[in-house]
């Protein structure tokens, strides 16, 4: 299920076109905030009976992009697995579906409420991705900066990733 959501997120992000629009500094839809450098596109899809929401924007220089995906996981699906298992499953889905190599993965609780989260870095040929997978209650967030290696490790990417916060 988690793996399918990651694949849908990638497809929607690619289909979005990543075109620059008027500047929009904060996105507040979906119980989160993030500082996007330009107005993001908002898309939705279904995967495994779940609604997947994708918010994506390109960088000012067009060398990469920023993405936040979120999906509500039904309570019955969360009863058996631990938060760490949900995060691990999402990470494995990222690696398998993108045929990417995970180069960094570590626990990184997010925010004052210490939501279970993992920081992940992955690469495949010239495509590099850095981000955080967060489980806040029954909502799974995936927050990524992606593009060239230089872009994924840039200050712009770091600022975007640091700007993400779960809101009530």
């Amino acid at each position: 299920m988690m793996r399918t959501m990651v694949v849908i997120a990638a497809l929607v992000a690619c289909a979005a076109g990543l075109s620059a629009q008027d500047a929009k500094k904060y996105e507040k839809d979906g119980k989160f905030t993030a500082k996007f450098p330009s107005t993001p596109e908002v898309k939705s899809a279904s995967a495994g009976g779940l609604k997947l929401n994708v918010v994506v924007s390109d960088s000012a220089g067009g060398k990469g992009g920023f993405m936040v995906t979120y999906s509500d996981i039904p309570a019955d699906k969360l009863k058996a697995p631990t938060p760490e298992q949900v995060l691990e499953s999402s990470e494995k889905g990222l690696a398998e579906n993108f045929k990417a190599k995970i180069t960094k993965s570590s626990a990184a609780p997010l925010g004052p409420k210490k939501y279970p989260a993992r920081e992940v870095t992955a690469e495949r040929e010239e495509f590099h991705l850095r981000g955080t997978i967060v489980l806040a209650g029954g909502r799974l967030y995936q927050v990524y900066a992606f593009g060239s290696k230089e872009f994924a490790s840039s200050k712009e990417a770091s600022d975007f990733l640091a700007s993400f916060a779960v809101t009530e």
Side-chain angles (χ1 to χ4, degrees):
M1 174 181 70
M2 294 298 135
R3 293 178 190 158
T4 303
M5 290 190 310
V6 172
V7 170
I8 296 294
L11 295 174
V12 173
C14 291
L18 300 176
S19 61
Q21 300 176 9
D22 297 333
K24 182 173 183 179
K25 299 299 180 186
Y26 292 93
E27 175 62 43
K28 295 185 179 182
D29 188 32
K31 298 183 182 179
F32 74 90
T33 60
K35 190 172 183 179
F36 288 90
S38 62
T39 302
E41 293 187 48
V42 180
K43 303 280 185 179
S44 63
S46 294
L50 300 176
K51 180 180 178 189
L52 179 67
N53 302 280
V54 181
V55 183
V56 64
S57 170
D58 68 345
S59 69
K63 296 188 182 206
F66 309 98
M67 177 170 60
V68 176
T69 70
Y70 62 94
S71 185
D72 292 320
I73 302 171
D76 63 322
K77 301 264 188 215
L78 287 174
K79 285 183 182 176
T82 66
E84 292 76 24
Q85 289 170 321
V86 173
L87 298 173
E88 185 178 302
S89 175
S90 294
E91 182 181 316
K92 284 182 181 177
L94 173 71
E96 290 175 9
N97 292 311
F98 280 112
K99 296 180 179 39
K101 176 183 177 187
I102 302 293
T103 57
K104 177 186 172 192
S105 174
S106 60
L110 183 80
K113 292 192 175 184
K114 304 288 185 203
Y115 292 113
R118 294 187 72 75
E119 288 184 353
V120 178
T121 303
E123 62 184 46
R124 183 187 78 202
E125 299 169 10
E126 298 300 314
F127 179 80
H128 295 263
L129 178 139
R130 181 168 62 119
T132 307
I133 304 168
V134 182
L135 184 61
R139 181 163 283 184
L140 181 70
Y141 294 95
Q142 297 176 67
V143 185
Y144 298 120
F146 57 90
S148 68
K149 184 174 186 175
E150 294 75 26
F151 178 77
S153 61
S154 70
K155 180 181 182 326
E156 185 179 10
S158 295
D159 289 348
F160 171 74
L161 295 171
S163 76
F164 177 81
V166 175
T167 60
E168 297 297 320

